[in-house]
């Protein structure tokens, strides 16, 4: 059924779409048709195409009653817009359709599982959320909320856990067992984050299985947006904690993203966490979600933003928030590696290659500039003394730039957008360890308003949005000491078939 609220949202975005010039948006990163977006939702393969939904408030550039926006793609790069999929139009989700996920059912339906939010007034007269889980079934365009909703409520969580923080179901279907599973974020009785596991035989009736992991106040508090999958012989649990504490250069304060890795005893549903690390070390990355492609790749996409920076927006742009580039994941030596989806390479054009360039003072290279590009930079020392620092300037012009510097002695990278033209005193830089010694490789993917960095074979990634004017497209390099550098740079073009 298409409610008035859903119809209104569909009409609103359709009306706005043509009024925002394509060049005012990223060229290949997902944005909403108009207005605000946050978390990726329902990232799934349905009838041979990849669908992506997202937290959506079309009516303004700020977070508001959550809808689910919708796009689809065949190659993770070119996306087709589809009408809004969910609106907060039922009593049980009247204050928002929060994050969730999707699968294709064995009988060919597209099943969405999301968190319905309803505010209540407590005995103390305060407004408080009640978060419950809901199902909607659809055909890839229209989705009906099932009559059984809500399918999980505060009655289905462990004693003492929070009924107001129970959200973000990520489900999958296990064809061998013929069972659906779902992991859901929650807050345990001690107030700290937990991931609960549920099972269902029909995707509609769900039972609590176990607490898969708990943070016990160690890595943040509420754990948002869990995802759980096996990859390269390991089990991976992704979470996005609120209220993280700083831990060295690994985790910064505030909203973070954590990859927990360990063993999973599938029979007894015991996850034994062995190690953990940050997922992305940049400024703008949150709430990642993954899918598995038919050819067995695990692809991750995330909100390219951070709750701490999102209230500072550039003027006069009628959209806010975008997704990261989808990234292929692998596990090596107990770490999650991520690289841009290989499909990006199909859009490379105008190759420019410079080899064995000696860099010390400010260096620019013929043909190396741009704001929509894919570039590989490889550095090593030019002499036996080695270099002390290497620095790269991106989106440079009119006094603006974003810099990426590397000091081999400490292994530290610093990404800094202080001078990117952003007019707000928000967090503008991050330092993190890459530890590549004197030989560093970094892949830089830029798309008008963003920079994504991938170090080495993808052992670390760092992501930031920038709102530098588009004509500032310079790139330059400098070093303390002498660096020998190879650069391979491509423009990315999307108008060819
Ligand atoms: C994470 C989050 C989710 C919630 C959604 C609301 O960014 O806070 O936990 O479902 O955003 O928009």
């Amino acid at each position: 059924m298409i409610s008035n609220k859903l119809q209104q949202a569909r009409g609103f975005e359709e009306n706005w779409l043509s009024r925002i010039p394509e060049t005012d948006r990223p060229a290949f990163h997902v944005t909403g048709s108009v207005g605000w977006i946050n978390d990726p939702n329902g990232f799934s393969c349905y009838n041979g195409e990849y669908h992506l939904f997202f937290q959506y408030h079309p009516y303004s550039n700020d977070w508001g009653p959550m809808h689910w926006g919708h796009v689809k793609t065949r190659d993770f790069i070119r996306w087709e817009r589809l009408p809004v999929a969910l609106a907060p139009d039922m009593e049980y989700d009247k204050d928002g359709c929060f994050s969730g996920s999707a699968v294709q059912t064995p009988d060919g339906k597209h099943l969405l599982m999301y968190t319905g939010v309803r505010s209540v007034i407590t005995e103390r007269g305060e407004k408080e959320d009640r978060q419950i889980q809901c199902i909607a079934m659809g055909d890839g365009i229209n989705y009906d909320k099932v009559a059984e909703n809500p399918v999980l409520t505060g009655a289905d969580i462990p004693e003492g856990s929070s009924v107001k923080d129970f959200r973000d179901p990520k489900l999958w279907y296990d064809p061998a067992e013929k069972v659906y599973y779902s992991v859901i974020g929650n807050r345990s009785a001690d107030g700290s984050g937990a991931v609960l596991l549920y099972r269902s035989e029909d995707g509609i009736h769900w039972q609590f299985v176990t607490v898969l992991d708990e943070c016990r106040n160690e890595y943040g508090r509420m754990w948002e947006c869990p995802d759980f999958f096996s990859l390269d012989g390991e089990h991976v649990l992704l979470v996005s904690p609120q209220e993280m504490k700083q831990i060295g250069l690994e985790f910064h304060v505030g909203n973070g993203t954590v990859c927990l890795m360990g063993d999973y005893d599938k029979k007894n549903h015991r996850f034994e966490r062995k190690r953990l690390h940050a997922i992305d070390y940049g400024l703008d990355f949150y709430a990642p979600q993954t899918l598995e492609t038919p050819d067995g790749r695990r692809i991750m996409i995330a909100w390219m933003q951070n709750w701490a920076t999102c209230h500072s927006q550039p003027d006069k742009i009628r959209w806010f928030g975008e997704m990261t580039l989808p990234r292929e994941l692998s596990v090596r030596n107990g770490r999650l590696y991520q690289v841009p989806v290989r499909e990006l390479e199909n859009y490379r054009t105008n190759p420019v290659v410079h080899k064995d360039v000696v860099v010390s003072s400010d260096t620019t290279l013929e043909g190396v500039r741009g704001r929509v590009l894919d570039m590989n930079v490889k550095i090593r020392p030019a002499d036996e003394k080695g270099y002390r620092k290497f620095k790269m300037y991106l989106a440079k012009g009119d006094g603006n730039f974003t810099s990426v510097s590397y000091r081999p002695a400490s292994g530290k990278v610093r990404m800094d957008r202080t001078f990117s033209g952003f007019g707000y005193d928000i967090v503008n830089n991050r330092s993190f360890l890459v530890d590549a010694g004197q030989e560093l490789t970094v892949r830089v993917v830029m798309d008008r308003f963003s920079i994504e960095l991938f170090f080495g074979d993808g052992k670390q990634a760092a992501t930031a949005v920038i709102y530098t004017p588009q004509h500032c497209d310079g790139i330059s390099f400098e070093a303390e000491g002498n660096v020998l550098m190879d650069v391979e740079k491509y423009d990315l073009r999307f108008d060819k078939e």
Side-chain angles (χ1 to χ4, degrees):
M1 198 204 54
I2 299 171
S3 65
N4 288 340
K5 240 187 185 164
L6 183 60
Q7 195 51 51
Q8 187 194 353
R10 287 180 169 187
F12 187 85
E13 64 167 15
E14 200 184 308
N15 186 21
W16 263 95
L17 191 56
S18 58
R19 292 157 66 183
I20 305 176
E22 277 306 310
T23 47
D24 279 7
R25 296 177 184 276
F28 59 102
H29 285 70
V30 172
T31 53
S33 293
V34 56
W36 164 282
I37 73 169
N38 58 287
D39 314 358
N41 295 157
F43 192 34
S44 56
C45 187
Y46 179 66
N47 287 345
E49 295 178 305
Y50 303 111
H51 286 250
L52 177 71
F53 304 80
F54 44 83
Q55 291 286 279
Y56 189 30
H57 185 242
Y59 302 114
S60 78
N61 278 10
D62 300 307
W63 190 88
M66 281 290 115
H67 296 59
W68 275 33
H70 191 186
V71 290
K72 69 175 181 180
T73 181
R74 287 185 180 276
D75 71 354
F76 299 111
I77 304 294
R78 283 217 284 205
W79 298 86
E80 182 186 327
R81 292 188 183 279
L82 295 170
V84 185
L86 299 177
D89 50 14
M90 303 298 280
E91 179 54 28
Y92 53 79
D93 64 15
K94 69 179 175 50
D95 293 307
C97 300
F98 274 21
S99 284
S101 51
V103 287
Q104 177 156 353
T105 63
D107 63 350
K109 296 199 185 81
H110 205 196
L111 182 156
L112 313 183
M113 187 175 198
Y114 71 96
T115 299
V117 180
R118 188 173 56 91
S119 283
V120 297
I121 304 295
T122 63
E123 280 168 9
R124 292 165 58 195
E126 289 160 353
K127 216 171 159 196
E128 203 177 84
D129 277 358
R130 288 289 172 270
Q131 302 189 339
I132 43 99
Q133 316 313 321
C134 309
I135 300 289
M137 292 281 194
D139 59 1
I141 295 187
N142 294 311
Y143 294 83
D144 287 323
K145 296 176 182 175
V146 300
E148 290 83 349
N149 282 339
V151 298
L152 285 170
T153 68
D156 305 295
I157 60 178
E159 177 93 38
S161 294
S162 166
V163 290
K164 70 181 216 284
D165 290 301
F166 175 41
R167 60 178 175 273
D168 310 336
K170 173 72 187 351
L171 86 168
W172 67 95
Y173 181 70
D174 185 326
E177 281 186 59
K178 295 198 171 55
V179 168
Y180 297 88
Y181 286 101
S182 184
V183 282
I184 308 182
N186 188 216
R187 217 184 253 270
S188 310
D190 70 357
S192 77
V195 174
L196 311 182
L197 179 70
Y198 291 83
R199 79 190 289 279
S200 167
E201 262 145 47
D202 58 3
I204 305 243
H205 300 90
W206 290 84
Q207 301 90 40
F208 173 74
V209 179
T210 190
V211 178
L212 205 58
D213 201 356
E214 282 176 289
C215 86
R216 298 187 189 85
N217 287 311
E218 210 180 348
Y219 299 101
R221 301 270 287 170
M222 173 63 192
W223 277 0
E224 300 189 305
C225 302
D227 196 349
F228 188 55
F229 51 88
S230 77
L231 186 63
D232 300 329
E234 297 267 358
H235 253 85
V236 177
L237 177 61
L238 306 180
V239 292
S240 295
Q242 296 175 319
E243 299 174 68
M244 284 288 277
K245 290 202 174 101
Q246 177 94 18
I247 305 181
L249 295 179
E250 190 62 29
F251 297 114
H252 58 80
V253 69
N255 285 81
T257 52
V258 183
C259 168
L260 308 142
M261 235 178 245
D263 297 331
Y264 184 50
D265 168 0
K266 222 175 143 186
K267 198 158 152 266
N268 299 304
H269 304 294
R270 292 271 161 268
F271 174 63
E272 195 194 334
R273 185 207 301 175
K274 294 224 161 114
R275 53 196 164 265
L276 52 87
H277 56 81
I279 305 175
D280 186 286
Y281 293 88
L283 291 145
D284 298 295
F285 183 94
Y286 197 64
Q289 190 171 92
T290 70
L291 62 68
E292 193 179 6
T293 59
D295 63 2
R297 291 181 289 159
R298 180 62 61 171
I299 311 289
M300 174 176 76
I301 193 165
W303 183 36
M304 191 148 59
Q305 202 46 255
N306 172 325
W307 284 107
T309 59
C310 66
H311 298 297
S312 303
Q313 306 182 359
D315 296 334
K316 297 192 191 79
I317 288 191
R318 193 52 184 91
W319 59 267
F320 183 71
E322 54 179 309
M323 295 297 157
T324 64
L325 180 60
R327 302 171 182 183
E328 284 182 26
L329 301 183
S330 59
V331 175
R332 283 185 244 172
N333 304 319
R335 273 195 75 95
L336 192 70
Y337 279 62
Q338 45 189 305
V339 291
V341 276
R342 62 194 66 168
E343 287 86 346
L344 185 65
E345 287 159 35
N346 298 335
Y347 296 93
R348 285 173 165 179
T349 181
N350 300 335
V352 175
V353 177
H354 293 272
K355 282 208 179 308
D356 300 327
V357 181
V358 180
V359 179
S360 54
S361 56
D362 184 48
T363 305
T364 52
L365 298 173
E366 181 71 38
V368 177
R369 60 185 321 117
R371 290 290 291 272
V372 184
L373 57 82
D374 187 358
M375 175 172 77
N376 225 44
V377 178
K378 226 172 169 171
I379 59 169
R380 55 200 180 280
D383 52 47
E384 65 287 350
K385 280 194 280 178
Y387 61 93
R388 293 176 299 286
K389 184 177 171 186
F390 170 78
K391 197 163 176 181
M392 179 164 70
Y393 296 86
L394 303 165
K396 193 174 168 186
D398 290 352
N400 299 312
F401 61 84
T402 294
S403 64
V404 181
S405 52
Y406 176 60
R407 289 176 186 273
S410 59
K412 228 190 256 180
V413 168
R414 182 181 164 93
M415 187 180 200
D416 190 347
R417 65 169 176 202
T418 306
F419 298 98
S420 67
F422 210 64
Y424 301 94
D425 184 23
I426 54 170
V427 186
N428 279 322
N429 66 71
R430 289 242 188 274
S431 294
F432 48 95
L433 283 180
V434 165
D435 255 336
Q438 289 270 333
E439 295 192 12
L440 178 78
T441 305
V442 54
R443 183 163 170 197
V444 181
V445 177
M446 293 176 71
D447 183 7
R448 294 192 183 128
F449 304 99
S450 62
I451 301 175
E452 292 171 273
L453 305 173
F454 301 88
F455 293 89
D457 297 333
K459 191 169 172 193
Q460 294 88 7
T463 303
V465 297
I466 51 164
Y467 294 108
T468 316
Q470 295 302 315
H471 70 274
C472 304
D473 64 352
I475 295 177
S476 70
F477 309 89
E478 68 185 31
E480 285 173 26
N482 294 319
V483 161
L484 211 53
M485 176 176 76
D486 300 336
V487 175
E488 186 184 326
K489 179 239 154 189
Y490 301 87
D491 292 325
L492 295 168
R493 228 181 79 193
F494 303 93
D495 53 357
K496 58 183 181 188
E497 274 313 301

